[in-house]
Amino acid sequence: MAADAEALLRLLQLERNAELAEVEAAQADLSHAELLRRGLGLPRLRVDGVSAGLYGRTLIELSAASGLALPPHSFSSGSIVSLRAGAARGTAAERASHGLDADAAAAGTPAPRAGAGIDATVYRVTDRSITLAADDCADDVEEGASAVLTLGASDVTYRRERDALARLRDPPAAAPLSLIHISEPTRRT
């Protein structure tokens, strides 16, 4: 049984690596319009606020740069996301149709900081804003900066399956017999 669990752990890790590579490729290669169409991202967002949250987390509030309601999306509380600095991507026609060729400095917004992005969890979603909870990123986010939010690969299922397989591979020395003891039901008189 331990050999089977070990083989399944290796396969699970391969699947996780493939999922991460697929998400990274989509984030890097797809235009803003395509991310939005597939429900994988929300381009043209503005950082409205950065505040301290519970357990030392940073809460980042995002809204549409246009000030209107957010377009239809698949983000919900608990979604794993990646927040990246907003930058013009896609064809020139796509950028022009979405107003992405306008210079951020001319619009009075600070230039977003370069970097790999911030991994976070969606905390709250309304029709006009999305609030994220992230660890230790207060210095990486500026109010008023443009941003792109993309759906990340969730690791919750992966961790649960990995932990279950690890328990099968390395069972406890002696299972408590009191947990599996079956007794007759108590009769009331």
Side-chain angles (χ1 to χ4, degrees):
M1 176 147 335
D4 292 335
E6 192 64 40
L8 286 173
L9 276 169
R10 280 193 307 275
L11 292 173
L12 184 63
Q13 185 61 47
L14 285 173
E15 181 180 9
R16 174 70 177 157
N17 292 343
E19 182 182 10
L20 288 173
E22 183 180 335
V23 168
E24 288 176 11
Q27 291 176 352
D29 297 338
L30 297 177
S31 68
H32 287 162
E34 188 64 17
L35 284 172
L36 184 60
R37 188 184 73 72
R38 291 185 183 188
L40 299 174
L42 281 175
R44 299 175 306 282
L45 296 175
R46 178 184 64 236
V47 177
D48 283 341
V50 179
S51 60
L54 293 175
Y55 304 108
R57 294 215 169 148
T58 302
L59 298 179
I60 305 164
E61 187 172 352
L62 306 167
S63 66
S66 64
L68 301 174
L70 294 170
H73 57 81
S74 59
F75 297 102
S76 62
S77 293
S79 295
I80 306 298
V81 296
S82 181
L83 180 66
R84 303 197 184 276
R89 293 187 350 194
T91 66
E94 285 176 334
R95 289 192 306 269
S97 70
H98 297 296
L100 296 176
D101 282 334
D103 186 14
T109 60
R113 294 185 182 180
I118 298 167
D119 292 328
T121 304
V122 174
Y123 175 67
R124 182 181 323 131
V125 179
T126 67
D127 61 338
R128 293 192 170 268
S129 70
I130 293 180
T131 304
L132 309 178
D135 293 325
D136 302 324
C137 68
D139 296 336
D140 298 336
V141 181
E142 292 182 34
E143 278 192 48
S146 62
V148 176
L149 189 64
T150 54
L151 200 56
S154 176
D155 65 340
V156 173
T157 302
Y158 165 75
R159 282 185 292 161
R160 287 179 183 166
E161 290 174 350
R162 181 195 63 201
D163 293 347
L165 286 171
R167 283 191 303 273
L168 283 174
R169 182 187 62 200
D170 305 321
L177 295 176
S178 62
L179 293 177
I180 58 173
H181 179 70
I182 301 173
S183 62
E184 291 189 29
T186 307
R187 293 185 184 172
R188 295 185 182 196
T189 56

